[in-house]
Amino acid sequence: MPDHPGAPESAASQEATPENSPWLVEDPAPNRRFLVFSLLVLVSAVVSAGLVSWWLPSNPRPQLIWVGLLLALGFLVAEQLAINVDVRGGVSWSISFCEIPLVIGLFVAPFEVVLAAHLTAGVGTLLVRRVHDRILYNAGAMIFEIVCAFATAAALNQMLDGFGPSWAGVVAGALVAPLSSTLLALVCVRVLGRRMRVGAAVSLVLRTLVLGMVNASAGVIGYQVAVHAESGWPLLVLALGGLSALYLAYSGMLREQRDLEALSEVSLIVARAGHQAAAKPSLGVNESTEVTEVVGDDEWQVIADRIKDQLGAARIVLRLRFDAQRPLHTVVSGEDLPAEMRAIDSTGARADALLRLPGGQVRHFRRGDAAPEIRHALMRRGADEALVVPLRSGSHLLGVVEAHDKLSRWRGFGRPDVRLIGTMASHLATAMDNRRLLATLRHDAYHDPLTGLLNRLGFRRAAGEPLRRHPESVVLRIDLDILATVSDALGYAWSDRMVVAAGRRLRDALGTDVAIARLEGGAFAALLVDTDDESAQATAERLRAILAAPYPVDRLTVEANSVVGYSTPQSVDGESRSVELDVDALLQRADVALRAARTSGEHVRAYLPTMGQIFLRRFQLVTQFRQALETGQVKVHYQPKVALPSRQVLGVEALVRWRHPEFGKLDPDEFVPAVEAAGLVDALTGFVMDQALNRVRKWMDRGLRISAAVNLSVRSLDDANFPDRVAAALEKHGVPPELLTLELTESGVMADPQRALPVLRRLHALGVVLAVDDFGTGYSSLAYLRQLPVDEVKIDKSFVLGMGTDLGDLAVVRSIVELGHSLGLTVVAEGVEEDVARDQLAAMGCDVAQGYLISRPLSESRLEAWLQARTTQAKGLRDETVLTLLS
């Protein structure tokens, strides 16, 4: 007979397992509809019983009282010996032996006595087991069983009218009884909103008939042997003893099998929930519940229900500790737990006695013989008996499993129950510990270990869905400056403290619901949902002001500047249409805006499409640079330098030029910094130096001693092998080292003189001329300048161009000339564009002039034409050809 878990029934049925269960659950059982159905079944059964009682006259006699009591006892024993089989979907079936006492009743008692005995045993069992919500339905089903059995037996006996065996009607009635309850159960399944496959239903009916036939046959044989066989009662007792032994063995084996199934199912539930948690994207925002919740409430409820069904307990209580700072989370299956027992203390003086148990073994308590504090704890729970087992990981309490009041046939919880709940608790403790570790690993994977904020991966996950739901959102990129200075001066610990303090300020300013990430170093990102550009600008300014507040650092206060760039998911391309971007693209554009702000000297910048085009163009230039070198797109031009006041052509400065097939003529200030940042500066320097030395070699072959100057990047001074490459190039072209000048910017040399000194000294030892370019614009000191092995200084053209109109620039140029001469250096003036400036420089004693007055940078062929047209040749002191610029 079908029923809800925990209510054994008297109908024979098949055994179902989770793998082959025919039930398909669609929705929860509709309690109201089930109640109406139960009332309908009960009323129909009572009416049917009245009709059968009217149809089958009874013959009351005093001995029927003892017969009825014995039959009730038989039905009760059959109920208690029933083997319950749990069928998934909230319906259970039972294999019982109620057909045997029913057969005896059909032989010896009238309808009313058998009905009363069956109802007394069945309803009494349900009441003892506290199955109160299904009594109406089960009582109606029991009445229908007896009604169908007597009606079938009487009808068949009348039809046979003395033909055939006298027990034929009894067997037919015993078969119809379980069949009627089975068919009624199938109707109940539909009422409960569930469905069963037709094949499974047919198979269930056939197995019910087979088992009913076995039980009915056993009852008929037992009755015939006891009544008609000589000394039949001893034989019957021996047979019942053997059957009882077989039953006990089978029942124990079935219990072990069901225990293993329950244990496997609980483990699968936890493992499945673990896989789902591992695959679940981390939201990243306010993740305390994500980290601490090991399995969701639904999964824990299923586990509690499964333990309750298997133990046959009135109530299962799972108390689980997800967070050491929070109270135990309580899940209840079965009878309601008193409200005051849901949130109770597990530590301290007021801790509940059942939650302070040491170790991890199972305890079995009964109210009658328990210690006073245990008895008090059981009374508060409304339980007479309890199995309690703590869930522990080492010395840490992960939770407690409590099983209250066994719905026992004969006694309370037994040794198999203790063993089962102990094994389940061990599996749950291990699963909880593993899941907590998994949750910790997931948290660490998506969070920055220093600040506790999201990392880049966590920000990507946290911001993805909000960006799709809220197109009007803004991604901020915030860079905190001065960290490198603090770490260099005081160590990384202090710079880390500044980062932590900055992250805390951002979290306090934006709130816990805003996704904030620390990307790297002092770089942060934040997602502002439903924010327009104006609000984003105001928020960025506010965050800058908050981050600018002084930081206490090692008895000092340090003020840190910050730069903010932001972008929105809706950007406008060249065709003026909206383009939705993902998180990575928005971060990249916010970073572009931030770098644009830093370059322009601003503090806050919004992303503009033109910024992306600029950086995309720089990226194209970098990726195409090597090909440009190989295909001849990159050329070297030369700008002559002449001595003052003799106007003798002493050398040229090699300047790189790039004519791009798509972008046309490119300014060096555009592509050289990009090439340098991409780490391709060695290729560029090598190319220019090779072309310049090749040009010098050609001049030498014509008897001309004209030097070439090549600009160096500060990165070249970090390369200890660079002097070796210079020496190899000089040897390759056969050029004396004094005809090669290497120019370094003042800011590059003075940024870290100690690091540059070893390379400069090796270059100087080669005989190469070293020049400090753009002198006067940096922060060099005379002391450092004296230490550097340089041979000449080049006055920055900004001072030379202003000499004619600014007395300050004139004074600076004069001071540099005098300083250079006092240190024994050659002084070169760049940017000479007027005769007046040339004459003033010559009067000051400046050694060399370079600028548009003399010549613009020229290609190799045009330079040769310029030398022929603008210079005269004469023999020098060493028989070399000297070129002098015509006036």
Side-chain angles (χ1 to χ4, degrees):
M1 174 178 290
D3 194 10
H4 295 275
E9 279 299 320
S10 58
S13 172
Q14 68 175 5
E15 179 181 353
T17 62
E19 291 75 18
N20 61 15
S21 173
W23 301 97
L24 300 177
V25 181
E26 293 177 344
D27 55 1
N31 294 330
R32 190 178 187 86
R33 188 166 44 178
F34 177 69
L35 178 60
V36 173
F37 177 73
S38 300
L39 290 173
L40 180 62
V41 170
L42 181 60
V43 171
S44 301
V46 171
V47 172
S48 301
L51 293 175
V52 171
S53 178
W54 172 77
W55 176 39
L56 301 176
S58 61
N59 184 18
R61 53 187 186 275
Q63 54 267 41
L64 289 179
I65 296 177
W66 295 103
V67 173
L69 293 176
L70 291 175
L71 285 176
L73 179 62
F75 279 116
L76 182 62
V77 172
E79 288 283 2
Q80 299 302 323
L81 294 178
I83 303 175
N84 295 314
V85 179
D86 180 37
V87 180
R88 302 301 170 262
V91 176
S92 64
W93 298 85
S94 62
I95 299 174
S96 73
F97 305 95
C98 288
E99 292 84 358
I100 295 177
L102 176 59
V103 167
I104 304 299
L106 287 169
F107 274 119
V108 302
F111 168 74
E112 293 82 356
V113 173
V114 177
L115 177 61
H118 191 29
L119 280 177
T120 300
V123 175
T125 300
L126 294 178
L127 290 174
V128 170
R129 296 181 182 176
R130 305 179 187 178
V131 186
H132 302 139
D133 55 340
R134 306 171 187 88
I135 289 180
L136 297 180
Y137 167 77
N138 286 297
M142 294 174 193
I143 296 174
F144 264 125
E145 285 185 324
I146 304 303
V147 167
C148 293
F150 273 84
T152 301
L156 186 59
N157 287 333
Q158 291 180 4
M159 290 175 58
L160 293 177
D161 193 20
F163 291 98
S166 60
W167 45 262
V170 172
V171 171
L175 285 176
V176 172
L179 182 61
S180 65
S181 63
T182 301
L183 295 176
L184 186 61
L186 295 176
V187 177
C188 178
V189 168
R190 300 298 300 178
V191 172
L192 291 175
R194 301 171 177 86
R195 58 193 177 93
M196 188 177 185
R197 298 184 183 93
V198 175
V202 172
S203 176
L204 176 62
V205 171
L206 293 178
R207 294 193 183 192
T208 300
L209 289 175
V210 171
L211 189 56
M213 177 66 74
V214 172
N215 289 337
S217 300
V220 170
I221 292 172
Y223 176 79
Q224 295 292 338
V225 169
V227 173
H228 301 291
E230 182 181 357
S231 301
W233 281 105
L235 292 176
L236 185 60
V237 170
L238 291 176
L240 290 176
L243 290 175
S244 299
L246 290 175
Y247 166 78
L248 292 175
Y250 176 73
S251 178
M253 181 183 66
L254 184 60
R255 168 64 189 263
E256 292 180 358
Q257 178 184 353
R258 294 185 63 202
D259 287 350
L260 290 175
E261 289 179 1
L263 183 61
S264 174
E265 183 177 356
V266 169
S267 300
L268 288 175
I269 291 173
V270 177
R272 183 167 59 248
H275 295 156
Q276 293 172 354
K280 177 184 176 182
S282 175
L283 297 180
V285 182
N286 205 10
E287 278 200 341
S288 59
T289 55
E290 280 192 53
V291 176
T292 57
E293 287 188 3
V294 179
V295 185
D297 280 348
D298 292 341
E299 286 81 8
W300 281 121
Q301 189 63 54
V302 172
I303 291 173
D305 293 341
R306 194 67 182 94
I307 297 175
K308 172 185 172 295
D309 294 342
Q310 190 61 25
L311 290 178
R315 182 198 300 135
I316 291 294
V317 181
L318 301 182
R319 303 186 189 274
L320 308 169
R321 185 181 299 283
F322 297 135
D323 189 338
Q325 307 302 322
R326 298 182 179 182
L328 292 172
H329 180 70
T330 303
V331 179
V332 180
S333 175
E335 295 181 357
D336 290 337
L337 187 69
E340 66 273 12
M341 296 305 298
R342 285 187 171 270
I344 57 177
D345 297 329
S346 60
T347 58
R350 301 179 57 187
D352 185 82
L354 298 187
L355 304 185
R356 290 189 284 109
L357 299 174
Q361 64 270 28
V362 182
R363 267 75 164 201
H364 187 183
F365 299 114
R366 294 183 179 88
R367 190 190 297 184
D369 56 6
E373 60 178 4
I374 299 295
R375 186 183 306 115
H376 178 67
L378 292 176
M379 291 177 61
R380 293 177 64 194
R381 289 165 170 78
D384 296 321
E385 181 186 19
L387 294 179
V388 183
V389 52
L391 306 178
R392 293 189 180 276
S393 174
S395 60
H396 301 287
L397 180 66
L398 302 178
V400 177
V401 180
E402 302 177 21
H404 300 164
D405 294 340
K406 174 79 170 181
L407 297 175
S408 174
R409 302 179 179 92
W410 310 109
R411 63 183 187 277
F413 294 113
R415 186 174 301 173
D417 300 316
V418 173
R419 184 169 56 250
L420 174 63
I421 196 172
T423 306
M424 283 189 171
S426 176
H427 279 247
L428 288 179
T430 302
M432 282 187 66
D433 208 23
N434 291 340
R435 292 294 311 281
R436 287 167 62 88
L437 176 60
L438 175 62
T440 301
L441 293 176
R442 289 182 66 247
H443 180 271
D444 293 345
Y446 299 132
H447 289 77
D448 173 53
L450 180 62
T451 62
L453 301 175
L454 297 171
N455 56 18
R456 187 180 295 273
L457 178 59
F459 186 78
R460 181 186 300 129
R461 286 178 173 262
E465 185 61 26
L467 280 174
R468 285 188 287 271
R469 295 199 309 264
H470 306 280
E472 298 298 328
S473 300
V474 174
V475 172
L476 295 179
R477 270 279 284 109
I478 307 157
D479 260 14
L480 190 67
D481 293 336
I482 209 174
L483 288 180
T485 305
V486 173
S487 60
D488 290 344
L490 302 176
Y492 289 108
W494 285 104
S495 62
D496 287 346
R497 293 178 188 178
M498 287 188 63
V499 171
V500 172
R504 189 179 302 115
R505 293 181 185 183
L506 291 174
R507 172 59 70 204
D508 294 341
L510 297 176
T512 58
D513 294 333
V514 175
I516 306 175
R518 180 200 177 209
L519 305 179
E520 59 186 2
F524 297 88
L527 174 66
L528 305 180
V529 178
D530 289 335
T531 303
D532 55 22
D533 289 348
E534 183 177 350
S535 299
Q537 181 77 20
T539 301
E541 295 287 358
R542 180 168 60 91
L543 293 178
R544 279 200 68 257
I546 292 173
L547 294 177
Y551 296 83
V553 177
D554 194 20
R555 299 186 300 277
L556 303 173
T557 55
V558 177
E559 295 183 2
N561 184 35
S562 59
V563 183
V564 183
Y566 62 89
S567 61
T568 63
Q570 302 295 332
S571 62
V572 182
D573 63 10
E575 299 180 4
S576 298
R577 60 185 179 184
S578 295
V579 181
E580 293 188 0
L581 304 175
D582 59 15
V583 180
D584 289 331
L586 286 172
L587 277 175
Q588 183 264 337
R589 294 195 168 196
D591 186 63
V592 169
L594 185 144
R595 282 184 284 170
R598 194 183 297 278
T599 302
S600 62
E602 299 179 61
H603 298 302
V604 178
R605 282 290 296 272
Y607 174 81
L608 298 175
T610 54
M611 296 178 185
Q613 295 171 5
I614 293 173
F615 282 96
L616 178 60
R617 173 166 165 155
R618 290 188 62 182
F619 177 75
Q620 289 180 276
L621 296 180
V622 168
T623 56
Q624 298 170 1
F625 180 71
R626 287 192 180 275
Q627 182 182 5
L629 291 178
E630 298 170 357
T631 57
Q633 298 175 26
V634 179
K635 303 288 187 181
V636 176
H637 287 201
Y638 303 92
Q639 187 173 30
K641 299 189 294 184
V642 299
L644 294 178
S646 64
R647 300 198 299 272
Q648 178 182 342
V649 179
L650 299 179
V652 294
E653 180 178 2
L655 302 171
V656 66
R657 297 291 185 268
W658 185 359
R659 182 172 293 277
H660 194 277
E662 179 181 353
F663 304 132
K665 185 178 180 180
L666 300 176
D667 190 277
D669 291 337
E670 178 182 1
F671 69 85
V672 171
V675 169
E676 185 174 356
L680 300 173
V681 68
D682 289 340
L684 175 61
T685 302
F687 173 79
V688 175
M689 185 165 55
D690 185 75
Q691 295 292 314
L693 291 178
N694 183 57
R695 181 70 263 172
V696 171
R697 179 69 260 176
K698 292 180 180 179
W699 284 329
M700 289 179 62
D701 293 342
R702 291 163 46 192
L704 299 173
R705 288 184 63 84
I706 300 177
S707 66
V710 176
N711 290 285
L712 289 188
S713 168
V714 68
R715 292 177 179 268
S716 299
L717 301 182
D718 293 334
D719 186 1
N721 296 322
F722 180 69
D724 297 331
R725 293 202 297 272
V726 173
L730 290 171
E731 183 178 358
K732 171 185 174 182
H733 293 282
V735 174
E738 63 270 15
L739 293 183
L740 175 63
T741 300
L742 299 179
E743 297 184 359
L744 306 101
T745 60
E746 179 188 7
S747 58
V749 175
M750 294 307 170
D752 192 353
Q754 297 303 323
R755 186 175 58 182
L757 272 174
V759 175
L760 291 176
R761 286 170 180 164
R762 290 183 59 190
L763 291 172
H764 189 265
L766 287 175
V768 174
V769 178
L770 298 179
V772 178
D773 199 6
D774 301 334
F775 191 80
T777 59
Y779 304 95
S780 59
S781 67
L782 295 177
Y784 276 130
L785 191 59
R786 291 179 61 187
Q787 294 176 13
L788 297 177
V790 296
D791 302 288
E792 65 179 47
V793 293
K794 297 185 71 173
I795 306 173
D796 188 71
K797 63 182 180 180
S798 62
F799 300 112
V800 177
L801 291 174
M803 282 174 48
T805 57
D806 193 323
L807 295 179
D809 288 343
L810 182 63
V812 169
V813 172
R814 180 178 288 109
S815 297
I816 295 175
V817 172
E818 293 175 355
L819 173 63
H821 287 164
S822 66
L823 296 176
L825 304 177
T826 301
V827 180
V828 180
E830 294 183 291
V832 180
E833 297 184 0
E834 298 177 353
D835 292 331
V836 175
R838 180 196 59 196
D839 295 340
Q840 287 177 326
L841 289 168
M844 294 177 191
C846 182
D847 303 300
V848 180
Q850 176 184 348
Y852 284 2
L853 178 65
I854 301 167
S855 174
R856 292 177 177 273
L858 303 172
S859 63
E860 188 172 341
S861 59
R862 294 187 62 188
L863 176 63
E864 289 297 327
W866 182 87
L867 291 175
Q868 293 180 6
R870 295 291 308 277
T871 63
T872 61
Q873 298 184 2
K875 288 292 183 179
L877 298 176
R878 291 178 291 184
D879 292 334
E880 76 278 9
T881 302
V882 176
L883 299 179
T884 303
L885 182 65
L886 296 174
S887 58

